[in-house]
Structures are given as C-alpha cells and as structure tokens.
C-alpha cells in the first residue's frame, strides 16, 4: 500500500502537493471567469479584464447584487465546462483514485465549483460557506466514496481553505440538520479538532466522504475559487448490494424559464 493510501485510511484525507498540472487548473479557472464575464457585460454593461483579480471580482459582486438569478445560473453553468469535466474523468484522476483504493471509480455527482466570499451572500446569510458536514449524507454512495477538493488560487487560512477533522471518517454517519448543503452536523464538535488545510495552486486534497469538514472563514476581499469532484466505487460490496443508489436528483424545471420563448422566427434564424 502506498503511504498516501495509508494516510487516507488513517486520517481520512491526504493532501497531494503539486499533483495537478498548473495549466490544467488555470484553464478551468479561466473558462469559469470567461463565462462569468459574458454575463457581467450583459448585466453591468462593462467589459472586465478577467486577469485583473480585484477588478474582476468586484464586478462579480456587482453582478451578484444586480441579477441574483442570473448569477446563480451562471454559477451552475461554469460547473458544466469541458475543462472541468475533462479533468474529472482524466487518466490522471482515475489513476490516483485507483492507487488510493477506489478500485472501479464512477462519478458520484457532477463536478462542482465554489466561489466563497461573504460578498456573495444574501442579507448577511452564511450561504457562502458550508458548516461542518460529511459529504456521504448528500451522495449516499459507496462506503469508500471519495471527494477531491482543490482551490484554483493559492489558499490558506485567510481565504478560508477547507478545515477537516482528522480521523473523523471512521466515527460513523453523524446526525445532521439536512442532507443538502446548507445546515450541518448537529452534534457538538470541538473547534480545536479542526485542522486548517493550506494550498498552493496544484495541490489537491483527497478525502473520504465520511470525513467531517467545513469551509474556512474567508476574511479577505477576494473570492476563494475551488473545485469539488466526487466519486463512488462500483466494486464496493454494499454499494452493489444497495443497487447503486443515486441520491443526487437532476431534474428539469416544470415551467418555461422564459415565457413565450422562442418565436418561430428566432428558430428560423438559427437554422437558416
Ligand atoms: O469549499 C468549501 O468551502 C466547502 C466544500 C465542501 O465542503 C463540499 O463540497 O463538500
């Protein structure tokens, strides 16, 4: 067994330093900002330089304030990019999962991205960060289901990188106020048990979906951009026995999002 696998089994997580190619990470980050910039232009009327971090992120905050629905939908759209999905199913990720004991990895949920900032929250809510939770409750997949987490910007304490409780993956599924992402573990957890993780771009955290973890506290004025990838193991006996449950619901809107759209003329224009 590799020492990384031993550490994952013992602590519930392993931080792989410099694992990801920086260009791969920056491509995912760039594509996400480009998509946001298109909507920023529509909503604010301004073209922002995606490489001017402060100016771009201030424009993100303005977009959030001016058109919340579009912001949420754009936030979902950036989770559907080719660059992100390419990484999620890449040979490199498949190999590391197998090396870590996930014999037959399969995607547990669509790749996700988070943009953590207190300026991206409504009315002082804490929706921009997640309370202590175990991802297994949301995915309910194989017992060895595994999460990959990495930031797309250098991330330490100040920008609120993830905090984890070492060894908590073997203490069982804890009571929680919800199986969704808002709300969290209801049992009293000790603040001092959490370990603050720190990352340079390229570092990647792999952890058991039973590991208790929470968002750090981003006290900076910048956004903490991060990615989460989730996998199950098709070969894990209880997952097979339970009939490969899929607890993530992915369903269409019951109503038209844009009433009376499209017109026949619009369609003819597209297919002329
Ligand atoms: O990125 C974060 O702050 C929290 C992410 C997380 O806990 C999760 O996706 O399960």
């Amino acid at each position: 067994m590799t020492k990384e696998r031993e550490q994952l089994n013992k602590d519930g997580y392993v931080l792989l330093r410099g694992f990801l190619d920086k260009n791969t990470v920056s491509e995912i980050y760039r594509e996400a900002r480009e998509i946001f910039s298109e909507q920023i232009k529509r909503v604010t009327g301004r073209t922002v330089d995606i490489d001017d971090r402060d100016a771009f992120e201030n424009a993100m905050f303005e977009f959030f304030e001016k058109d919340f629905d579009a912001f949420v939908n754009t936030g979902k759209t950036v989770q559907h990019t080719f660059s992100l999905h390419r990484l999620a199913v890449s040979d490199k990720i498949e190999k590391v999962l197998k090396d870590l004991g996930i014999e037959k990895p399969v995607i547990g949920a669509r790749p996700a991205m988070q943009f953590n900032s207190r300026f991206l929250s409504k009315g002082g809510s804490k929706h921009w960060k997640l309370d202590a939770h175990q991802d297994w409750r949301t995915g309910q997949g194989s017992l060895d289901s595994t999460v990959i987490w990495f930031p797309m910007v250098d991330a330490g304490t100040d920008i609120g990188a993830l905090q984890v409780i070492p060894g908590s993956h073997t203490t069982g599924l804890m009571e929680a106020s919800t199986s969704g992402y808002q709300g969290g573990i209801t049992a009293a957890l000790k603040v001092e048990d959490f370990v603050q993780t720190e990352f340079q771009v390229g570092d990647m955290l792999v952890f058991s979906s039973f590991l208790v973890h929470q968002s750090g506290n981003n006290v900076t004025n910048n956004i903490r951009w991060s990615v989460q990838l989730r996998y199950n193991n098709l070969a894990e006996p209880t997952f097979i026995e339970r009939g490969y449950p899929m607890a993530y619901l992915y369903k269409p809107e019951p109503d038209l999002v844009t009433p009376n759209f499209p017109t026949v003329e619009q369609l003819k224009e597209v297919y002329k």
Side-chain angles (χ1 to χ4, degrees):
M1 197 188 296
T2 60
K3 69 176 192 327
E4 287 81 9
R5 185 168 170 186
E6 265 173 47
Q7 204 195 328
L8 177 65
N9 287 352
K10 177 171 153 293
D11 296 333
Y13 69 97
V14 58
L15 212 168
L16 304 174
R17 298 276 174 209
F19 178 84
L20 294 164
D21 174 30
K22 285 190 181 173
N23 290 332
T24 305
V25 178
S26 84
E27 169 70 6
I28 298 169
Y29 181 32
R30 188 184 55 75
E31 214 181 340
R33 283 172 298 151
E34 278 173 0
I35 292 170
F36 269 112
S37 72
E38 188 66 40
Q39 287 296 322
I40 286 170
K41 189 162 77 190
R42 182 185 69 82
V43 170
T44 70
R46 283 185 294 116
T47 300
V48 280
D49 176 359
I50 64 166
D51 292 320
D52 183 340
R53 187 170 178 187
D54 290 346
F56 178 74
E57 293 185 352
N58 281 326
M60 288 275 287
F61 304 148
E62 190 181 338
F63 172 28
F64 176 87
E65 292 300 332
K66 289 197 162 143
D67 193 341
F68 179 67
D69 286 346
F71 185 92
V72 170
N73 283 325
T74 308
K76 289 179 183 161
T77 299
V78 301
Q79 311 194 31
H80 288 74
T81 61
F82 278 28
S83 55
L84 176 59
H85 286 243
R86 228 176 349 246
L87 172 69
V89 295
S90 62
D91 291 347
K92 191 168 165 123
I93 293 291
E94 181 177 1
K95 179 170 184 323
V96 77
L97 289 169
K98 287 183 174 167
D99 288 348
L100 290 170
I102 316 303
E103 199 182 335
K104 283 195 189 165
V106 67
I107 296 199
R110 271 175 295 159
M113 201 183 281
Q114 294 212 6
F115 338 96
N116 291 53
S117 163
R118 64 191 179 286
F119 302 117
L120 299 175
S121 74
K122 282 267 176 208
S125 75
K126 289 203 317 172
H127 281 193
W128 58 277
K129 57 182 193 166
L130 301 185
D131 287 335
H133 63 282
Q134 293 165 303
D135 278 20
W136 196 86
R137 189 173 281 280
T138 49
Q140 302 181 43
S142 62
L143 288 179
D144 54 358
S145 64
T146 300
V147 185
I148 286 180
W149 189 102
F150 65 88
M152 297 187 287
V153 292
D154 292 344
T157 312
D158 287 356
I159 204 164
L162 213 64
Q163 299 174 349
V164 302
I165 301 188
S168 53
H169 62 310
T170 52
T171 54
L173 185 62
M174 303 182 80
E175 288 294 323
S177 55
T178 172
S179 63
Y181 280 107
Q182 295 307 323
I185 291 171
T186 45
L189 298 168
K190 293 204 207 98
V191 177
E192 62 271 22
D193 287 346
F194 282 94
V195 166
Q196 175 70 60
T197 56
E198 306 219 355
F199 301 76
Q200 301 283 304
V201 171
D203 297 346
M204 181 176 96
L205 184 72
V206 184
F207 62 93
S208 155
S209 67
F210 283 94
L211 187 78
V212 175
H213 63 285
Q214 64 185 12
S215 304
N217 195 20
N218 180 358
V219 297
T220 74
N221 289 336
N222 285 116
I223 297 173
R224 195 212 63 195
W225 298 75
S226 67
V227 163
Q228 299 81 40
L229 308 174
R230 297 183 171 83
Y231 303 90
N232 283 315
N233 181 3
L234 290 167
E236 195 274 309
T238 68
F239 192 38
I240 297 173
E241 199 48 44
R242 294 190 305 125
Y244 290 147
M246 181 53 77
Y248 274 91
L249 304 180
Y250 182 37
K251 53 181 186 181
E253 276 281 345
D255 300 315
L256 285 180
V257 174
T258 313
N260 306 318
F261 176 85
T263 62
V264 172
E265 288 68 34
Q266 283 170 315
L267 276 173
K268 283 188 175 154
E269 176 64 20
V270 169
Y271 290 108
K272 69 178 183 245

